[in-house]
Amino acid sequence: MSHINTAKKQNNIIIVGAGPVGLVVALRLTQNGIPVTILEESSAPIAEPRASTFHPPTLDMLDTLGLSQSLLSLGRIAEKWQYSIFETGENAVFDLGVLKDETKHPYRLQCEQVHLVRAAAKELNRLAPKALIYNAKVTKIGENSVGPWVDADINGTKERFNGRWLVGADGSNSIVRRELGLTFTGQTYPAASIAIGTTFPFEKYIPNICGVNYFWAEGWSFSMFQTKKLWRVGYSLPKGMSDSLATSSDEIQNKLRKIYPSKTPFRLETARVYRVHRRTVDTFRVKSILLTGDAAHLNSPSGGMGMNSGIHDAFNLTDKLISIFKNRADEGILDQYSRQRRFAATADIQRASDQNHKLHREQDYKARLKTLHTMQNIANDSQKLLDFVRESSLINSIKRANLIN
């Protein structure tokens, strides 16, 4: 096995996974003069659209990395979002403008996460051209007296990377988490969901549609998010439906015609089935190895909380690593990172996303109407609205987590 020189790499931070969370960790550390090596199994930035919602505090964070403006140019701002009964049009509209005194971005940005991945990778490559290594399949990790190490197969060549800290940002199937022997606890929801991307201009045909919509309709419910070029439509699949049937053109066309009876076929750009989880590990730190994002916790994407919470993990973690490197802070603050972000994941994000998941899938009409009237009461009261959008935008979650010692 070929080994990278330990003396040169022992103060390095190794990051496994170059998705949005791993790249945010890498870029923020690099901008603060801390050397990183980031290992990514794919051959290029992952091009799948996946998450598409950026909440206000997330955009404020990305401002500090110089990334928000490029995302704004590639996405679509949603100043308002709504819950609505599709057939009647009765709705509750939440205006994020009430956050104007608390954030530079009082809106949700609908922009596919691939744009963040590409922008962060480009900036990282500009600042540290050799930091990001593609085609790097991690095969094993461990720790010795000087710190963590990672074995990886890079284009058929075996390499060992040594560092001071190791960050696992390698998603739900994290090899870092598995090598640590940590397992998720929690649940997987019984019904799978599907996310569809179509260029059809629904905004021309559906009255009072917002950029972000959660619709209750007869016999089903669905969400609609408008990015710069696509409408992203999501809904739960009937129990027992196969992935192949769910993603078949006929099935999707029939479903979309329930939203608008187009006489011509809908142009489909993407269709992806996914399982919804509510899971977390017991700790985000084991000695010099740390977990972040989906490697540490999984939740329903309802409310746009998955990628956003991962980026919030990344900023909390890098705050502490920067303090250790620059200010010689006690390394025990990394245990605080684990406590703070695990609290956010379980007490706030998973609780709220679970509530959103169940709320949107309510089938009883009377229960839907009762919830809608409660929402209208909130939307029409300025203080209640402010309190509500602070919660739904994860502003309060960040503040509560940061109070944990």
Side-chain angles (χ1 to χ4, degrees), residues 316-333:
N316 186 299
L317 175 57
T318 52
D319 278 345
K320 292 168 173 60
L321 288 170
I322 292 165
S323 187
I324 289 169
F325 272 80
K326 288 191 170 183
N327 305 322
R328 298 185 178 181
D330 189 290
E331 294 179 358
I333 61 174

Side-chain angles (χ1 to χ4, degrees), residues 174-302:
S174 170
I175 187 173
V176 176
R177 185 187 66 245
R178 286 186 276 118
E179 286 283 298
L180 288 173
L182 295 175
T183 57
F184 280 131
T185 58
Q187 69 178 113
T188 297
Y189 294 88
S193 296
I194 188 169
I196 298 160
T198 175
T199 57
F200 186 80
F202 284 106
E203 70 278 9
K204 293 181 179 180
Y205 304 104
I206 300 176
N208 302 316
I209 197 167
C210 295
V212 175
N213 310 269
Y214 299 94
F215 287 115
W216 285 307
E218 185 175 351
W220 68 312
S221 55
F222 59 96
S223 61
M224 297 184 69
F225 301 164
Q226 188 179 23
T227 65
K228 191 159 190 172
K229 297 180 179 180
L230 300 176
W231 275 101
R232 289 168 59 95
V233 181
Y235 51 88
S236 291
L237 302 179
K239 186 177 180 180
M241 178 176 283
S242 68
D243 291 5
S244 59
L245 176 58
T247 55
S248 67
S249 179
D250 286 347
E251 176 66 23
I252 293 174
Q253 295 290 337
N254 288 337
K255 210 70 172 179
L256 294 181
R257 279 194 287 268
K258 293 176 70 175
I259 300 174
Y260 180 76
S262 175
K263 294 181 180 179
T264 58
F266 295 89
R267 179 179 172 181
L268 305 178
E269 298 292 330
T270 61
R272 183 175 70 92
V273 173
Y274 60 94
R275 270 67 192 171
V276 180
H277 306 275
R278 185 184 183 187
R279 297 182 178 276
T280 188
V281 292
D282 290 338
T283 180
F284 293 7
R285 179 193 179 192
V286 177
K287 298 181 181 178
S288 60
I289 303 173
L290 303 127
L291 297 175
T292 192
D294 284 355
H297 54 86
L298 300 172
N299 55 266
S300 166
S302 295

Side-chain angles (χ1 to χ4, degrees), residues 39-102:
L39 305 173
E40 170 54 45
E41 185 173 353
S42 67
S43 59
I46 299 170
E48 293 180 2
R50 297 197 179 187
S52 66
T53 295
F54 290 85
H55 284 303
T58 307
L59 291 168
D60 288 336
M61 291 175 181
L62 295 177
D63 272 342
T64 68
L65 303 182
L67 299 177
S68 290
Q69 287 306 309
S70 65
L71 296 178
L72 287 167
S73 69
L74 294 166
R76 187 182 296 271
I77 287 173
E79 296 175 341
K80 298 177 181 180
W81 62 275
Q82 68 170 332
Y83 258 91
S84 175
I85 296 178
F86 186 66
E87 289 81 8
T88 68
E90 189 174 4
N91 62 357
V93 179
F94 301 97
D95 186 346
L96 293 167
V98 295
L99 294 173
K100 64 183 184 301
D101 295 328
E102 303 187 26

